[in-house]
Amino acid sequence: MSLHHVNVRVDDLAAAAAFYESVFGLERIDRPDAMPGEGWWYDLGDGRQLHVSEGGAGVADSKQHFCVLVDDWRGAIADARNAGLDVEVREPTGQAFVRDPAGNRIELNQA
């Protein structure tokens, strides 16, 4: 088995698009016309996708998250901080966490 996509729910599509496109540099891909609802799909490479849907937001204290593998962990942390994000860094485990504008938790990790 392999993970194909993750869907996160947001309360502001424009803010989510600005976040995922500027902080992570993701590019939108076409959604099938028959798919209901509002939102964006993004290509993560290797056939994997991130789906961002309108209709709610993350919970500020939730541990629920998805993880993004980055090539340069320290560089990704610096980029996130430069974008004005609060970054929770767990140096011993090599984990860092940020939240999108809707409160969805995202882990940054380096393989």
Side-chain angles (χ1 to χ4, degrees):
M1 285 193 184
S2 176
L3 181 68
H4 179 264
H5 72 270
V6 171
N7 186 85
V8 296
R9 294 174 59 112
V10 301
D11 51 1
D12 183 336
L13 281 172
F19 174 82
Y20 286 105
E21 292 170 19
S22 66
V23 174
F24 290 110
L26 298 181
E27 294 185 22
R28 290 183 204 178
I29 58 176
D30 292 333
R31 291 171 39 136
D33 290 336
M35 293 299 297
E38 296 295 324
W40 317 119
W41 287 9
Y42 294 99
D43 178 24
L44 299 177
D46 295 328
R48 290 168 179 77
Q49 301 172 356
L50 171 65
H51 298 177
V52 178
S53 302
E54 188 172 47
V59 178
D61 62 352
S62 172
K63 299 293 185 201
Q64 179 176 301
H65 67 279
F66 65 94
C67 180
V68 175
L69 289 177
V70 296
D71 293 329
D72 177 5
W73 186 68
R74 294 188 190 289
I77 292 168
D79 290 346
R81 286 183 171 148
N82 289 337
L85 300 176
D86 291 326
V87 183
E88 174 193 346
V89 178
R90 295 184 182 171
E91 193 77 34
T93 60
Q95 296 171 292
F97 296 91
V98 298
R99 291 193 183 267
D100 73 8
N104 293 298
R105 191 171 191 230
I106 305 160
E107 178 181 344
L108 307 174
N109 202 313
Q110 185 172 344

